[in-house]
Amino acid sequence: MGFKMSQCTYFPIIKTNLSGAITTTLTTLKHLPPHTTKPRVPEQTCLTLLQSSTTLSSLTQIHALILKLGLHNNPLVLTKFASTSSNFNAIHYASQFLFPSDQNTPLPNPIYYDAFLFNTVIRAYAQTVDSKSTALHFYKTMLRYGVVPNKFTYPFVLKACVGIADLNLGQLVHGFVVKLGFEDCLHVQNTMVHMYCYCEGGDGYARKVFDESPKSDSVTWSAMIGGYARLGRSAEAVGLFREMQVAGVRPDEITMVSVLSACTDLGALELGKWLESYVERKEITKSLELCNALIDMFAKCGDVDKAMKLFRRMSTRTIVSWTSVIDGLAMHGRGLEAVSLFDEMVERGVTPDDVAFIGVLSACSHSGLVDKGHYYFNSMQKSFGIVPKIEHHGCMVDLLSRAGLVREALEFVLKMPIEPNQIIWRSIITACHSRGELKLEESISKELIKSEPMHESNYVLLSIIYAKLLRWEKKTKVREMMDMKGMKKIPGSTMIELNNEMYEFVAGDKSHNQYKEIYEMVEEMGKKIKRAGYVPTTSQVLLDIDEEDKEDALHKHSEKLAIAFALLKTKPGTPIRIVKNLRVCEDCHCATKFISKVYDREIVVRDRNRFHHFKNGLCSCGDFW
């Protein structure tokens, strides 16, 4: 809003609403002798009043005083006014005064603008969630006014670029940094690495800035490690952390949060345990965020009981703490414990958010708690005023689909108040597949291809249907369409951690230097579990080949290769933990149950959806996944 001084908009406020200090100031100035030097007195008074201002109301009164005393051209007063406004989240109010659009408002002379003033405004907007573009607008205004940025300007500008995530814009700002000679400033370098890591395609530039930094600190390393973790390049994040140790740079809690995130993604429980002990040995501050990261890591790496112990020992918990444990219990198929913890959270006065409801609905889905799922879904808006989002509707569809209620799931989708997305339709397709509703599955898959022609999983689903129906010619045509569009099926892969090293296997993998011994173990496993009653699920092989070749194809699945490698490399009785990038197939699930019994091993499998704990020929999921 503009300030129309010709209408004396704010003078009534000065007369009636100003605090005693401001009223006294005006009275004193009015009665000063003619020979007194006045300018310094009002300047100091305004600065003092701004320093002690505690409310937006008092700030507007001081604003009126600034205009009354003609201090709208005073750089110290302007900068302090902007700084105080940002403390009240009122920088928009201040910027309208500093850069008014109303022609009747006095415009500060541009010669009184300096870098400190612009830095204050840019920083305030850069720290506001929805105002990153406004921060960049004032950076451009700064250049237009001929004010030269300093080394304190660019960390704020680059932080604003993070919110925009525009690689070209980031590179343009990088160019200005180099031109003005600030590329060696450590704080600027750190923010530059952070900015590039947030821009699509910017990770290479981030690593270049990181490698060429003449000096670095824990913030520099944390920015690069965190960037790799966010991009899913978890192995590289862990590798860089090890380089950081060799370089003798002490990590802080922010570094450890990023490394734990990478560890969680890899499912590397042993590494996670080592990281926990490392935090203790190095006496790294256990911030709330770090404690939450440890809980999340243990829950998602297979030790949900340890996650629960850490959670119970926390003196202060946030909604993230509660949700991490609820999600962990849900992934492990411990649905009743998850819903019980959710109820405890509500009883303790912690208001659930939309993420917490996703967790409890997922718990219901993984454990077949249909009635509980309906109860929590209906309570979202009724009891907590949370409007269900597409994710919550997706959880309900998944719950009904997994429970075999295909028609009910379809009715739920058709009655949804929001447009269902492709993920929801794929849940319906999966349910149709498991219940033999192949015609319905085929029609939905065709519609998905029409609406999402460049998503490879839609074609894979349709090809699976044609293979099930033994319509090999149509299956071949679908695969040819994928080839023409340059799409490839995501290959199944399995990772395993042994002796602090990560090993990855893909179906039919022969890249490992011990692949001959691994395949010999696979053959031995196959013979032993067959004698124990295992029957290969050859219907899982969607190729037009004979039964013997289908069995051979099943033996080469990545899960079996990883388990065989573990049997070769670990002592009898040692638990085996593997991580699969896709949903575990029916045959591998059945075979792993037999392997756990024949070899007397506990085998923990984390697939794309959940954890499976195999022991004595049984799985914790109860064959419900």
Side-chain angles (χ1 to χ4, degrees), residues 10-45:
Y10 284 95
F11 288 117
I13 298 178
I14 293 173
K15 291 179 181 178
T16 58
N17 295 332
L18 284 177
S19 65
I22 299 177
T23 305
T24 302
T25 299
L26 288 172
T27 304
T28 302
L29 290 171
K30 183 177 180 182
H31 293 95
L32 279 174
H35 62 275
T36 304
T37 304
K38 296 181 181 179
R40 188 68 180 164
V41 176
E43 176 191 285
Q44 289 289 1
T45 302

Short mmCIF file of all heavy atoms in Angstrom, two decimals, residues 10-45:
data_model
loop_
_atom_site.label_atom_id
_atom_site.label_comp_id
_atom_site.label_asym_id
_atom_site.label_seq_id
_atom_site.Cartn_x
_atom_site.Cartn_y
_atom_site.Cartn_z
N TYR A 10 -1.24 9.67 8.12
CA TYR A 10 -0.68 9.14 9.36
C TYR A 10 -0.55 10.17 10.47
O TYR A 10 -0.21 9.83 11.58
CB TYR A 10 0.70 8.51 9.08
CG TYR A 10 0.53 7.18 8.41
CD1 TYR A 10 0.59 7.07 7.02
CD2 TYR A 10 0.24 6.04 9.16
CE1 TYR A 10 0.41 5.85 6.42
CE2 TYR A 10 0.06 4.82 8.55
CZ TYR A 10 0.14 4.72 7.18
OH TYR A 10 -0.04 3.52 6.57
N PHE A 11 -0.83 11.47 10.19
CA PHE A 11 -0.70 12.46 11.24
C PHE A 11 -1.68 12.26 12.39
O PHE A 11 -1.33 12.45 13.54
CB PHE A 11 -0.81 13.88 10.67
CG PHE A 11 0.41 14.25 9.87
CD1 PHE A 11 0.33 14.52 8.52
CD2 PHE A 11 1.64 14.29 10.50
CE1 PHE A 11 1.47 14.84 7.79
CE2 PHE A 11 2.78 14.61 9.76
CZ PHE A 11 2.70 14.87 8.41
N PRO A 12 -2.93 11.86 12.14
CA PRO A 12 -3.83 11.57 13.27
C PRO A 12 -3.29 10.47 14.18
O PRO A 12 -3.46 10.50 15.39
CB PRO A 12 -5.13 11.13 12.59
CG PRO A 12 -5.08 11.78 11.26
CD PRO A 12 -3.64 11.75 10.86
N ILE A 13 -2.61 9.48 13.57
CA ILE A 13 -2.03 8.41 14.36
C ILE A 13 -0.96 8.97 15.30
O ILE A 13 -0.88 8.62 16.46
CB ILE A 13 -1.42 7.32 13.45
CG1 ILE A 13 -2.51 6.69 12.60
CG2 ILE A 13 -0.69 6.26 14.27
CD1 ILE A 13 -2.01 5.66 11.65
N ILE A 14 -0.14 9.88 14.76
CA ILE A 14 0.92 10.47 15.56
C ILE A 14 0.34 11.20 16.76
O ILE A 14 0.85 11.11 17.87
CB ILE A 14 1.77 11.44 14.70
CG1 ILE A 14 2.52 10.64 13.63
CG2 ILE A 14 2.74 12.22 15.56
CD1 ILE A 14 3.25 11.51 12.63
N LYS A 15 -0.75 11.90 16.56
CA LYS A 15 -1.33 12.70 17.64
C LYS A 15 -2.02 11.85 18.71
O LYS A 15 -2.05 12.21 19.87
CB LYS A 15 -2.35 13.69 17.06
CG LYS A 15 -1.70 14.79 16.22
CD LYS A 15 -2.77 15.71 15.65
CE LYS A 15 -2.15 16.80 14.78
NZ LYS A 15 -3.16 17.68 14.18
N THR A 16 -2.55 10.70 18.30
CA THR A 16 -3.41 9.97 19.25
C THR A 16 -2.85 8.64 19.72
O THR A 16 -3.11 8.23 20.84
CB THR A 16 -4.78 9.70 18.60
OG1 THR A 16 -4.58 8.96 17.41
CG2 THR A 16 -5.49 11.00 18.29
N ASN A 17 -2.09 7.92 18.84
CA ASN A 17 -1.76 6.54 19.17
C ASN A 17 -0.28 6.28 19.44
O ASN A 17 0.09 5.16 19.76
CB ASN A 17 -2.21 5.60 18.04
CG ASN A 17 -3.71 5.59 17.89
OD1 ASN A 17 -4.42 5.83 18.86
ND2 ASN A 17 -4.20 5.34 16.69
N LEU A 18 0.59 7.24 19.25
CA LEU A 18 2.00 6.97 19.44
C LEU A 18 2.31 6.70 20.90
O LEU A 18 1.66 7.23 21.80
CB LEU A 18 2.84 8.17 18.97
CG LEU A 18 2.99 8.31 17.46
CD1 LEU A 18 3.78 9.55 17.14
CD2 LEU A 18 3.67 7.11 16.86
N SER A 19 3.31 5.86 21.12
CA SER A 19 3.74 5.58 22.50
C SER A 19 4.29 6.85 23.12
O SER A 19 4.61 7.83 22.44
CB SER A 19 4.81 4.49 22.49
OG SER A 19 5.97 4.99 21.84
N GLY A 20 4.44 6.80 24.45
CA GLY A 20 4.92 7.97 25.17
C GLY A 20 6.28 8.43 24.70
O GLY A 20 6.54 9.64 24.61
N ALA A 21 7.15 7.47 24.33
CA ALA A 21 8.50 7.83 23.90
C ALA A 21 8.47 8.66 22.63
O ALA A 21 9.19 9.66 22.50
CB ALA A 21 9.33 6.57 23.68
N ILE A 22 7.62 8.28 21.68
CA ILE A 22 7.56 9.00 20.42
C ILE A 22 6.93 10.38 20.62
O ILE A 22 7.39 11.39 20.09
CB ILE A 22 6.76 8.19 19.37
CG1 ILE A 22 7.47 6.85 19.11
CG2 ILE A 22 6.60 8.96 18.09
CD1 ILE A 22 6.74 5.96 18.16
N THR A 23 5.87 10.44 21.42
CA THR A 23 5.21 11.73 21.69
C THR A 23 6.17 12.69 22.37
O THR A 23 6.26 13.87 22.02
CB THR A 23 3.98 11.51 22.59
OG1 THR A 23 3.13 10.55 21.97
CG2 THR A 23 3.22 12.81 22.79
N THR A 24 6.96 12.15 23.33
CA THR A 24 7.94 12.98 24.02
C THR A 24 8.99 13.50 23.06
O THR A 24 9.42 14.66 23.12
CB THR A 24 8.62 12.17 25.14
OG1 THR A 24 7.63 11.71 26.04
CG2 THR A 24 9.64 13.01 25.89
N THR A 25 9.41 12.66 22.11
CA THR A 25 10.40 13.07 21.12
C THR A 25 9.90 14.23 20.29
O THR A 25 10.60 15.22 20.06
CB THR A 25 10.73 11.88 20.18
OG1 THR A 25 11.26 10.84 20.97
CG2 THR A 25 11.75 12.28 19.13
N LEU A 26 8.68 14.14 19.80
CA LEU A 26 8.11 15.23 19.00
C LEU A 26 8.03 16.53 19.80
O LEU A 26 8.34 17.61 19.30
CB LEU A 26 6.73 14.82 18.49
CG LEU A 26 6.69 13.75 17.40
CD1 LEU A 26 5.26 13.32 17.15
CD2 LEU A 26 7.33 14.26 16.12
N THR A 27 7.62 16.43 21.07
CA THR A 27 7.50 17.61 21.92
C THR A 27 8.85 18.26 22.16
O THR A 27 9.03 19.48 22.08
CB THR A 27 6.87 17.23 23.27
OG1 THR A 27 5.63 16.59 23.03
CG2 THR A 27 6.64 18.45 24.14
N THR A 28 9.86 17.39 22.43
CA THR A 28 11.22 17.89 22.68
C THR A 28 11.77 18.62 21.47
O THR A 28 12.35 19.71 21.56
CB THR A 28 12.16 16.72 23.05
OG1 THR A 28 11.63 16.06 24.19
CG2 THR A 28 13.56 17.22 23.36
N LEU A 29 11.59 18.02 20.28
CA LEU A 29 12.10 18.62 19.05
C LEU A 29 11.43 19.96 18.78
O LEU A 29 12.06 20.91 18.29
CB LEU A 29 11.86 17.66 17.87
CG LEU A 29 12.72 16.40 17.86
CD1 LEU A 29 12.23 15.44 16.77
CD2 LEU A 29 14.19 16.74 17.63
N LYS A 30 10.18 20.04 19.11
CA LYS A 30 9.42 21.26 18.85
C LYS A 30 9.95 22.44 19.68
O LYS A 30 9.95 23.58 19.24
CB LYS A 30 7.94 21.01 19.17
CG LYS A 30 7.04 22.20 18.88
CD LYS A 30 5.59 21.84 19.15
CE LYS A 30 4.68 23.02 18.88
NZ LYS A 30 3.27 22.69 19.18
N HIS A 31 10.43 22.15 20.91
CA HIS A 31 10.86 23.21 21.82
C HIS A 31 12.36 23.38 21.90
O HIS A 31 12.86 24.09 22.78
CB HIS A 31 10.30 22.93 23.23
CG HIS A 31 8.80 23.05 23.30
ND1 HIS A 31 7.99 21.94 23.16
CD2 HIS A 31 7.99 24.13 23.46
CE1 HIS A 31 6.70 22.33 23.25
NE2 HIS A 31 6.70 23.66 23.43
N LEU A 32 13.12 22.71 21.00
CA LEU A 32 14.56 22.90 21.02
C LEU A 32 14.93 24.32 20.60
O LEU A 32 14.28 24.90 19.72
CB LEU A 32 15.24 21.91 20.04
CG LEU A 32 15.45 20.47 20.55
CD1 LEU A 32 15.99 19.62 19.42
CD2 LEU A 32 16.39 20.43 21.75
N PRO A 33 15.99 24.92 21.20
CA PRO A 33 16.44 26.26 20.78
C PRO A 33 16.84 26.26 19.32
O PRO A 33 17.27 25.24 18.78
CB PRO A 33 17.64 26.51 21.70
CG PRO A 33 17.46 25.59 22.85
CD PRO A 33 16.76 24.39 22.31
N PRO A 34 16.76 27.42 18.66
CA PRO A 34 17.07 27.49 17.22
C PRO A 34 18.47 27.06 16.88
O PRO A 34 18.72 26.54 15.79
CB PRO A 34 16.85 28.98 16.91
CG PRO A 34 15.94 29.46 17.98
CD PRO A 34 16.28 28.68 19.21
N HIS A 35 19.44 27.28 17.80
CA HIS A 35 20.83 26.98 17.47
C HIS A 35 21.17 25.50 17.62
O HIS A 35 22.27 25.06 17.30
CB HIS A 35 21.77 27.81 18.36
CG HIS A 35 21.63 27.48 19.83
ND1 HIS A 35 20.67 28.06 20.62
CD2 HIS A 35 22.33 26.61 20.61
CE1 HIS A 35 20.77 27.58 21.86
NE2 HIS A 35 21.77 26.70 21.88
N THR A 36 20.23 24.69 18.15
CA THR A 36 20.52 23.26 18.39
C THR A 36 20.58 22.51 17.06
O THR A 36 19.75 22.72 16.17
CB THR A 36 19.42 22.63 19.27
OG1 THR A 36 19.33 23.37 20.48
CG2 THR A 36 19.75 21.18 19.57
N THR A 37 21.58 21.60 16.95
CA THR A 37 21.69 20.76 15.75
C THR A 37 20.67 19.63 15.88
O THR A 37 20.85 18.71 16.69
CB THR A 37 23.11 20.18 15.61
OG1 THR A 37 24.03 21.26 15.60
CG2 THR A 37 23.24 19.38 14.33
N LYS A 38 19.61 19.63 15.07
CA LYS A 38 18.50 18.70 15.24
C LYS A 38 18.68 17.34 14.55
O LYS A 38 18.24 16.34 15.09
CB LYS A 38 17.20 19.33 14.75
CG LYS A 38 16.78 20.55 15.55
CD LYS A 38 15.47 21.09 15.01
CE LYS A 38 15.05 22.33 15.79
NZ LYS A 38 13.79 22.89 15.29
N PRO A 39 19.30 17.28 13.37
CA PRO A 39 19.26 16.03 12.62
C PRO A 39 19.73 14.81 13.40
O PRO A 39 19.15 13.75 13.30
CB PRO A 39 20.16 16.31 11.42
CG PRO A 39 20.10 17.79 11.25
CD PRO A 39 19.98 18.33 12.62
N ARG A 40 20.80 14.95 14.21
CA ARG A 40 21.34 13.79 14.90
C ARG A 40 20.38 13.26 15.95
O ARG A 40 20.28 12.05 16.18
CB ARG A 40 22.68 14.18 15.55
CG ARG A 40 23.44 13.02 16.15
CD ARG A 40 23.95 12.09 15.07
NE ARG A 40 24.67 10.97 15.60
CZ ARG A 40 24.96 9.87 14.94
NH1 ARG A 40 24.56 9.75 13.69
NH2 ARG A 40 25.65 8.90 15.49
N VAL A 41 19.64 14.17 16.61
CA VAL A 41 18.71 13.77 17.66
C VAL A 41 17.60 12.86 17.14
O VAL A 41 17.40 11.78 17.66
CB VAL A 41 18.14 15.01 18.38
CG1 VAL A 41 17.09 14.59 19.41
CG2 VAL A 41 19.24 15.81 19.03
N PRO A 42 16.87 13.26 16.10
CA PRO A 42 15.81 12.37 15.60
C PRO A 42 16.34 11.05 15.04
O PRO A 42 15.70 10.01 15.17
CB PRO A 42 15.13 13.19 14.53
CG PRO A 42 16.08 14.26 14.16
CD PRO A 42 16.86 14.56 15.40
N GLU A 43 17.54 11.07 14.42
CA GLU A 43 18.10 9.84 13.87
C GLU A 43 18.35 8.82 14.98
O GLU A 43 17.93 7.67 14.90
CB GLU A 43 19.40 10.14 13.14
CG GLU A 43 20.12 8.90 12.63
CD GLU A 43 21.53 9.20 12.13
OE1 GLU A 43 21.66 9.76 11.04
OE2 GLU A 43 22.48 8.88 12.86
N GLN A 44 19.05 9.28 16.05
CA GLN A 44 19.35 8.39 17.16
C GLN A 44 18.07 7.89 17.84
O GLN A 44 17.97 6.74 18.24
CB GLN A 44 20.23 9.11 18.19
CG GLN A 44 21.66 9.37 17.72
CD GLN A 44 22.47 8.08 17.64
OE1 GLN A 44 21.96 7.00 17.92
NE2 GLN A 44 23.72 8.19 17.22
N THR A 45 17.11 8.80 17.97
CA THR A 45 15.85 8.42 18.61
C THR A 45 15.13 7.34 17.82
O THR A 45 14.65 6.34 18.38
CB THR A 45 14.94 9.65 18.76
OG1 THR A 45 15.62 10.63 19.52
CG2 THR A 45 13.63 9.28 19.44
#
